[in-house]
Amino acid sequence: MAERRPYRSWIGRAALVAALAAGGAATASEPLDPVALKRLVHQDCGSCHGLTLKGGLGPDLRPQTIEHYDVDILKSVILDGIPDTAMPPWRPLMTEAEADWVARYLLNPEDTQ
């Protein structure tokens, strides 16, 4: 019998609702919306990583705890998720530019406009 993973179903539905509410991912030609991306980080990412990003179902994402990662690694995790964990791939819901912004924001929130 297949192993059930109810959290994946919940995460998938939450991601779909977030995408529909945001109108889908921006196209490559649309400018980034830092306010919307910051909200996405604190609400959507925060639903697993804690609203203050101190950790929850997912690990702590505060700059001091992830500073050993570079932007490209974080961007890859955001876009492609982590297999066999609750971290879903966001590639269907955001552009690479948006994932890059999120990774930079996580590493240094003060410098991201």
Side-chain angles (χ1 to χ4, degrees):
M1 187 168 187
E3 179 182 341
R4 292 188 57 168
R5 295 188 179 176
Y7 61 85
R8 284 195 181 200
S9 175
W10 175 84
I11 289 172
R13 276 184 257 151
L16 178 60
V17 169
L20 292 173
T27 64
S29 62
E30 292 180 21
L32 295 176
D33 182 350
V35 173
L37 288 170
K38 184 176 179 181
R39 188 173 337 140
L40 177 128
V41 168
H42 289 277
Q43 291 179 356
D44 292 292
C45 301
S47 67
C48 287
H49 294 279
L51 294 177
T52 58
L53 305 180
K54 292 180 181 177
L57 174 64
D60 187 330
L61 292 180
R62 293 175 297 162
Q64 65 269 28
T65 61
I66 61 170
E67 65 188 0
H68 57 283
Y69 293 109
D70 66 24
V71 170
D72 290 333
I73 294 293
L74 292 176
K75 181 178 162 183
S76 176
V77 169
I78 293 164
L79 289 171
D80 300 320
I82 301 175
D84 299 321
T85 72
M87 179 62 194
W90 284 84
R91 187 176 296 277
L93 305 172
M94 69 172 46
T95 66
E96 289 201 21
E98 290 169 328
D100 186 76
W101 188 95
V102 170
R104 291 177 190 285
Y105 176 75
L106 290 172
L107 287 169
N108 198 344
E110 295 84 29
D111 285 349
T112 311
Q113 300 283 349

